[in-house]
Short mmCIF file of all heavy atoms in Angstrom, two decimals:
data_model
loop_
_atom_site.label_atom_id
_atom_site.label_comp_id
_atom_site.label_asym_id
_atom_site.label_seq_id
_atom_site.Cartn_x
_atom_site.Cartn_y
_atom_site.Cartn_z
N THR A 63 1.42 -9.37 20.29
CA THR A 63 0.72 -8.23 19.83
C THR A 63 0.44 -8.21 18.32
O THR A 63 0.02 -7.25 17.70
CB THR A 63 1.48 -6.95 20.20
OG1 THR A 63 2.78 -6.91 19.45
CG2 THR A 63 1.70 -6.77 21.64
N VAL A 64 0.63 -9.42 17.69
CA VAL A 64 0.43 -9.48 16.32
C VAL A 64 -0.76 -10.48 16.17
O VAL A 64 -0.88 -11.47 16.70
CB VAL A 64 1.62 -10.10 15.49
CG1 VAL A 64 1.32 -10.53 14.01
CG2 VAL A 64 2.71 -9.11 15.71
N LEU A 65 -1.68 -10.10 15.23
CA LEU A 65 -2.81 -10.80 14.79
C LEU A 65 -2.78 -11.09 13.28
O LEU A 65 -2.68 -10.26 12.48
CB LEU A 65 -4.13 -10.11 15.13
CG LEU A 65 -5.45 -10.73 14.79
CD1 LEU A 65 -5.56 -12.09 15.54
CD2 LEU A 65 -6.51 -9.83 15.06
N CYS A 66 -2.75 -12.46 12.89
CA CYS A 66 -2.72 -12.80 11.45
C CYS A 66 -4.17 -13.10 11.09
O CYS A 66 -4.72 -14.12 11.62
CB CYS A 66 -1.86 -14.01 11.39
SG CYS A 66 -0.09 -13.79 11.78
N GLU A 67 -4.69 -12.22 10.14
CA GLU A 67 -6.13 -12.42 9.86
C GLU A 67 -6.23 -12.85 8.38
O GLU A 67 -5.49 -12.29 7.57
CB GLU A 67 -6.86 -11.05 9.93
CG GLU A 67 -7.46 -10.78 11.30
CD GLU A 67 -8.40 -11.90 11.68
OE1 GLU A 67 -9.51 -12.07 11.02
OE2 GLU A 67 -8.24 -12.41 12.78
N PRO A 68 -7.09 -13.89 8.15
CA PRO A 68 -7.15 -14.24 6.81
C PRO A 68 -8.12 -13.27 5.93
O PRO A 68 -9.16 -12.86 6.58
CB PRO A 68 -7.86 -15.63 6.88
CG PRO A 68 -8.66 -15.61 8.19
CD PRO A 68 -7.76 -14.78 9.13
N ALA A 69 -7.85 -13.17 4.74
CA ALA A 69 -8.70 -12.26 3.86
C ALA A 69 -8.55 -12.86 2.43
O ALA A 69 -7.94 -12.33 1.54
CB ALA A 69 -8.22 -10.95 3.94
N TYR A 70 -9.00 -14.14 2.23
CA TYR A 70 -8.72 -14.84 1.08
C TYR A 70 -9.60 -14.40 -0.09
O TYR A 70 -9.42 -14.81 -1.19
CB TYR A 70 -8.86 -16.37 1.30
CG TYR A 70 -8.15 -16.97 2.43
CD1 TYR A 70 -8.50 -18.07 3.07
CD2 TYR A 70 -6.81 -16.33 2.85
CE1 TYR A 70 -7.85 -18.61 4.16
CE2 TYR A 70 -6.20 -16.87 3.76
CZ TYR A 70 -6.61 -17.99 4.47
OH TYR A 70 -5.94 -18.57 5.59
N GLU A 71 -10.60 -13.65 0.06
CA GLU A 71 -11.51 -13.23 -0.99
C GLU A 71 -11.22 -11.75 -1.33
O GLU A 71 -11.14 -10.90 -0.42
CB GLU A 71 -12.95 -13.33 -0.62
CG GLU A 71 -13.31 -14.67 -0.17
CD GLU A 71 -13.36 -15.60 -1.45
OE1 GLU A 71 -13.73 -15.13 -2.51
OE2 GLU A 71 -12.97 -16.82 -1.25
N GLY A 72 -11.06 -11.44 -2.57
CA GLY A 72 -11.04 -10.00 -2.99
C GLY A 72 -9.62 -9.54 -3.25
O GLY A 72 -8.59 -10.09 -2.81
N HIS A 73 -9.45 -8.38 -3.79
CA HIS A 73 -8.36 -7.70 -4.10
C HIS A 73 -7.85 -6.88 -2.91
O HIS A 73 -8.61 -6.48 -2.16
CB HIS A 73 -8.52 -6.80 -5.36
CG HIS A 73 -7.19 -6.15 -5.87
ND1 HIS A 73 -6.81 -4.98 -5.30
CD2 HIS A 73 -6.32 -6.58 -6.80
CE1 HIS A 73 -5.59 -4.65 -6.01
NE2 HIS A 73 -5.48 -5.60 -6.89
N VAL A 74 -6.51 -6.63 -2.72
CA VAL A 74 -6.05 -5.95 -1.57
C VAL A 74 -6.81 -4.56 -1.43
O VAL A 74 -6.95 -4.16 -0.32
CB VAL A 74 -4.50 -5.82 -1.68
CG1 VAL A 74 -4.02 -4.91 -2.79
CG2 VAL A 74 -3.98 -5.28 -0.33
N VAL A 75 -7.01 -3.87 -2.47
CA VAL A 75 -7.65 -2.59 -2.36
C VAL A 75 -9.03 -2.62 -1.77
O VAL A 75 -9.41 -1.86 -0.86
CB VAL A 75 -7.68 -1.87 -3.85
CG1 VAL A 75 -8.49 -0.70 -3.62
CG2 VAL A 75 -6.28 -1.59 -4.31
N LEU A 76 -9.79 -3.61 -2.14
CA LEU A 76 -11.13 -3.89 -1.58
C LEU A 76 -10.97 -4.28 -0.13
O LEU A 76 -11.74 -3.78 0.80
CB LEU A 76 -11.81 -4.95 -2.35
CG LEU A 76 -12.15 -4.64 -3.76
CD1 LEU A 76 -12.79 -5.96 -4.49
CD2 LEU A 76 -12.95 -3.49 -3.98
N ILE A 77 -10.01 -5.09 0.24
CA ILE A 77 -9.74 -5.55 1.66
C ILE A 77 -9.37 -4.34 2.53
O ILE A 77 -9.84 -4.07 3.57
CB ILE A 77 -8.79 -6.69 1.69
CG1 ILE A 77 -9.43 -7.88 0.99
CG2 ILE A 77 -8.26 -6.90 3.10
CD1 ILE A 77 -8.47 -8.96 0.65
N LYS A 78 -8.48 -3.55 1.90
CA LYS A 78 -7.95 -2.33 2.71
C LYS A 78 -9.23 -1.48 3.08
O LYS A 78 -9.39 -1.02 4.17
CB LYS A 78 -7.02 -1.56 1.88
CG LYS A 78 -6.47 -0.38 2.50
CD LYS A 78 -5.58 0.57 1.52
CE LYS A 78 -4.40 -0.25 1.13
NZ LYS A 78 -3.44 0.71 0.37
N HIS A 79 -10.08 -1.19 2.13
CA HIS A 79 -11.21 -0.39 2.41
C HIS A 79 -12.37 -1.03 3.23
O HIS A 79 -13.26 -0.33 3.55
CB HIS A 79 -11.70 0.21 1.05
CG HIS A 79 -10.68 1.22 0.44
ND1 HIS A 79 -10.42 2.46 0.88
CD2 HIS A 79 -9.89 1.07 -0.63
CE1 HIS A 79 -9.54 3.02 0.29
NE2 HIS A 79 -9.08 2.15 -0.77
N ALA A 80 -12.30 -2.35 3.38
CA ALA A 80 -13.17 -3.00 4.12
C ALA A 80 -12.60 -3.00 5.63
O ALA A 80 -13.43 -2.75 6.61
CB ALA A 80 -13.47 -4.44 3.73
N PHE A 81 -11.40 -3.41 5.82
CA PHE A 81 -10.82 -3.58 7.18
C PHE A 81 -10.61 -2.31 7.93
O PHE A 81 -10.94 -2.18 9.14
CB PHE A 81 -9.49 -4.31 7.07
CG PHE A 81 -9.53 -5.82 7.08
CD1 PHE A 81 -9.63 -6.63 5.98
CD2 PHE A 81 -9.57 -6.46 8.33
CE1 PHE A 81 -9.67 -7.84 6.02
CE2 PHE A 81 -9.76 -7.85 8.44
CZ PHE A 81 -9.70 -8.51 7.17
N ILE A 82 -10.21 -1.24 7.27
CA ILE A 82 -9.82 -0.06 8.03
C ILE A 82 -11.14 0.62 8.63
O ILE A 82 -11.20 0.80 9.72
CB ILE A 82 -9.06 1.00 7.00
CG1 ILE A 82 -7.66 0.56 6.74
CG2 ILE A 82 -9.03 2.39 7.70
CD1 ILE A 82 -7.01 1.32 5.88
N PRO A 83 -12.23 0.83 7.88
CA PRO A 83 -13.36 1.35 8.53
C PRO A 83 -13.96 0.50 9.64
O PRO A 83 -14.51 0.98 10.61
CB PRO A 83 -14.40 1.51 7.33
CG PRO A 83 -13.57 1.61 6.14
CD PRO A 83 -12.35 0.72 6.49
N ALA A 84 -13.85 -0.87 9.49
CA ALA A 84 -14.38 -1.75 10.38
C ALA A 84 -13.61 -1.66 11.68
O ALA A 84 -14.27 -1.60 12.74
CB ALA A 84 -14.35 -3.20 9.90
N ILE A 85 -12.37 -1.48 11.63
CA ILE A 85 -11.52 -1.47 12.82
C ILE A 85 -11.78 -0.03 13.44
O ILE A 85 -11.80 0.11 14.63
CB ILE A 85 -10.03 -1.66 12.49
CG1 ILE A 85 -9.85 -3.12 12.07
CG2 ILE A 85 -9.20 -1.34 13.72
CD1 ILE A 85 -8.50 -3.41 11.45
N LEU A 86 -11.78 1.03 12.54
CA LEU A 86 -12.08 2.36 13.07
C LEU A 86 -13.40 2.50 13.83
O LEU A 86 -13.48 3.06 14.88
CB LEU A 86 -12.03 3.39 12.00
CG LEU A 86 -10.60 3.71 11.42
CD1 LEU A 86 -10.89 4.47 10.17
CD2 LEU A 86 -9.98 4.53 12.39
N SER A 87 -14.40 1.77 13.30
CA SER A 87 -15.66 1.86 13.96
C SER A 87 -15.76 1.10 15.17
O SER A 87 -16.61 1.41 16.09
CB SER A 87 -16.76 1.23 12.95
OG SER A 87 -16.53 -0.10 12.82
N ALA A 88 -14.71 0.26 15.44
CA ALA A 88 -14.64 -0.47 16.74
C ALA A 88 -13.84 0.51 17.70
O ALA A 88 -13.62 0.15 18.97
CB ALA A 88 -13.96 -1.69 16.68
N GLY A 89 -13.46 1.68 17.38
CA GLY A 89 -12.88 2.67 18.25
C GLY A 89 -11.33 2.29 18.40
O GLY A 89 -10.64 2.74 19.32
N VAL A 90 -10.79 1.64 17.43
CA VAL A 90 -9.35 1.37 17.53
C VAL A 90 -8.52 2.34 16.49
O VAL A 90 -8.95 2.37 15.37
CB VAL A 90 -9.19 -0.07 17.12
CG1 VAL A 90 -7.51 -0.42 17.12
CG2 VAL A 90 -9.78 -1.11 17.95
N ASP A 91 -7.51 2.95 17.11
CA ASP A 91 -6.70 3.93 16.19
C ASP A 91 -6.01 2.97 15.21
O ASP A 91 -5.44 1.85 15.48
CB ASP A 91 -5.53 4.50 17.06
CG ASP A 91 -6.10 5.58 17.92
OD1 ASP A 91 -7.19 6.14 17.74
OD2 ASP A 91 -5.33 5.96 18.81
N THR A 92 -6.07 3.29 13.87
CA THR A 92 -5.72 2.43 12.92
C THR A 92 -5.00 3.14 11.72
O THR A 92 -5.32 4.38 11.39
CB THR A 92 -7.08 1.89 12.19
OG1 THR A 92 -7.75 1.20 13.20
CG2 THR A 92 -6.69 0.98 11.01
N VAL A 93 -3.96 2.52 11.26
CA VAL A 93 -3.28 3.05 10.03
C VAL A 93 -2.79 1.92 9.25
O VAL A 93 -2.47 0.83 9.81
CB VAL A 93 -2.00 3.87 10.37
CG1 VAL A 93 -1.04 3.15 11.16
CG2 VAL A 93 -1.52 4.66 9.25
N TRP A 94 -2.88 1.99 7.87
CA TRP A 94 -2.55 0.89 7.01
C TRP A 94 -0.98 1.17 6.63
O TRP A 94 -0.64 2.17 6.30
CB TRP A 94 -3.31 0.93 5.68
CG TRP A 94 -3.07 -0.12 4.77
CD1 TRP A 94 -2.08 -0.12 3.79
CD2 TRP A 94 -3.78 -1.33 4.69
NE1 TRP A 94 -2.12 -1.27 3.09
CE2 TRP A 94 -3.12 -2.04 3.56
CE3 TRP A 94 -4.82 -1.90 5.22
CZ2 TRP A 94 -3.59 -3.31 3.14
CZ3 TRP A 94 -5.25 -3.14 4.84
CH2 TRP A 94 -4.76 -3.80 3.83
N ILE A 95 -0.18 0.08 6.87
CA ILE A 95 1.26 0.07 6.43
C ILE A 95 1.50 -0.97 5.52
O ILE A 95 1.28 -2.15 5.81
CB ILE A 95 2.22 -0.05 7.79
CG1 ILE A 95 1.83 1.07 8.67
CG2 ILE A 95 3.58 0.07 7.31
CD1 ILE A 95 2.52 0.80 10.08
N ASP A 96 1.89 -0.60 4.27
CA ASP A 96 2.45 -1.67 3.28
C ASP A 96 3.64 -2.31 3.58
O ASP A 96 4.53 -1.73 4.35
CB ASP A 96 2.38 -1.08 1.81
CG ASP A 96 1.07 -0.72 1.46
OD1 ASP A 96 0.06 -1.45 1.64
OD2 ASP A 96 0.91 0.35 0.82
N PHE A 97 3.86 -3.51 3.18
CA PHE A 97 5.18 -4.23 3.44
C PHE A 97 6.32 -3.51 2.85
O PHE A 97 7.55 -3.76 3.28
CB PHE A 97 5.14 -5.55 2.86
CG PHE A 97 4.33 -6.62 3.76
CD1 PHE A 97 3.53 -7.58 3.06
CD2 PHE A 97 4.38 -6.47 5.03
CE1 PHE A 97 2.84 -8.38 3.82
CE2 PHE A 97 3.62 -7.32 5.80
CZ PHE A 97 2.82 -8.39 5.21
N ASP A 98 6.16 -2.66 1.84
CA ASP A 98 7.35 -1.99 1.29
C ASP A 98 7.68 -0.60 1.98
O ASP A 98 8.51 0.23 1.72
CB ASP A 98 7.14 -1.66 -0.22
CG ASP A 98 5.98 -0.74 -0.39
OD1 ASP A 98 5.19 -0.36 0.47
OD2 ASP A 98 5.71 -0.33 -1.63
N THR A 99 7.18 -0.51 3.19
CA THR A 99 7.44 0.66 4.09
C THR A 99 8.35 0.19 5.29
O THR A 99 8.19 -0.79 5.82
CB THR A 99 6.09 1.20 4.90
OG1 THR A 99 5.16 1.50 3.92
CG2 THR A 99 6.40 2.28 5.80
N PHE A 100 9.47 0.91 5.29
CA PHE A 100 10.46 0.65 6.41
C PHE A 100 10.12 1.43 7.60
O PHE A 100 10.10 2.60 7.47
CB PHE A 100 11.99 0.84 5.90
CG PHE A 100 12.89 0.44 6.86
CD1 PHE A 100 13.29 -0.96 7.01
CD2 PHE A 100 13.50 1.24 7.68
CE1 PHE A 100 14.26 -1.34 7.95
CE2 PHE A 100 14.45 0.88 8.77
CZ PHE A 100 14.80 -0.38 8.80
N ILE A 101 9.83 0.85 8.65
CA ILE A 101 9.49 1.51 9.93
C ILE A 101 10.69 1.92 10.62
O ILE A 101 11.36 1.03 11.24
CB ILE A 101 8.43 0.68 10.68
CG1 ILE A 101 7.36 0.16 9.81
CG2 ILE A 101 8.00 1.46 11.91
CD1 ILE A 101 6.49 -0.91 10.59
N LEU A 102 10.85 3.23 10.74
CA LEU A 102 12.13 3.63 11.50
C LEU A 102 11.81 3.77 12.96
O LEU A 102 12.79 3.61 13.80
CB LEU A 102 12.52 5.11 11.11
CG LEU A 102 13.01 5.07 9.54
CD1 LEU A 102 13.17 6.61 9.02
CD2 LEU A 102 14.15 4.28 9.39
N ARG A 103 10.53 4.18 13.39
CA ARG A 103 10.22 4.20 14.71
C ARG A 103 8.74 4.05 14.79
O ARG A 103 7.98 4.23 13.91
CB ARG A 103 10.71 5.48 15.40
CG ARG A 103 10.08 6.69 14.83
CD ARG A 103 10.65 7.99 15.33
NE ARG A 103 10.20 9.25 14.75
CZ ARG A 103 9.13 9.86 15.13
NH1 ARG A 103 8.51 9.54 16.16
NH2 ARG A 103 8.74 10.89 14.54
N ASP A 104 8.14 3.83 16.04
CA ASP A 104 6.86 3.71 16.23
C ASP A 104 6.11 5.07 15.80
O ASP A 104 6.41 6.10 16.42
CB ASP A 104 6.55 3.40 17.78
CG ASP A 104 5.00 3.30 18.12
OD1 ASP A 104 4.18 3.46 17.11
OD2 ASP A 104 4.72 3.15 19.23
N PRO A 105 5.20 5.04 14.85
CA PRO A 105 4.57 6.22 14.42
C PRO A 105 3.44 6.77 15.24
O PRO A 105 2.75 7.87 14.99
CB PRO A 105 4.11 5.97 13.01
CG PRO A 105 3.79 4.41 13.11
CD PRO A 105 4.81 3.93 14.11
N THR A 106 3.04 6.03 16.30
CA THR A 106 1.84 6.34 17.14
C THR A 106 1.74 7.92 17.47
O THR A 106 0.76 8.51 17.27
CB THR A 106 1.68 5.43 18.32
OG1 THR A 106 1.67 4.07 17.73
CG2 THR A 106 0.48 5.68 18.96
N SER A 107 2.73 8.33 18.17
CA SER A 107 2.77 9.71 18.75
C SER A 107 2.61 10.71 17.53
O SER A 107 1.80 11.74 17.63
CB SER A 107 4.00 10.12 19.52
OG SER A 107 5.11 9.98 18.76
#
Side-chain angles (χ1 to χ4, degrees):
T63 59
V64 174
L65 178 64
C66 302
E67 272 300 301
Y70 304 153
E71 300 292 328
H73 187 273
V74 68
V75 172
L76 298 175
I77 291 167
K78 181 187 297 189
H79 293 290
F81 272 94
I82 292 174
I85 296 169
L86 286 169
S87 68
V90 177
D91 289 344
T92 305
V93 65
W94 183 276
I95 303 173
D96 288 320
F97 283 144
D98 61 356
T99 302
F100 184 81
I101 306 167
L102 297 172
R103 62 184 172 94
D104 178 0
T106 303
S107 63

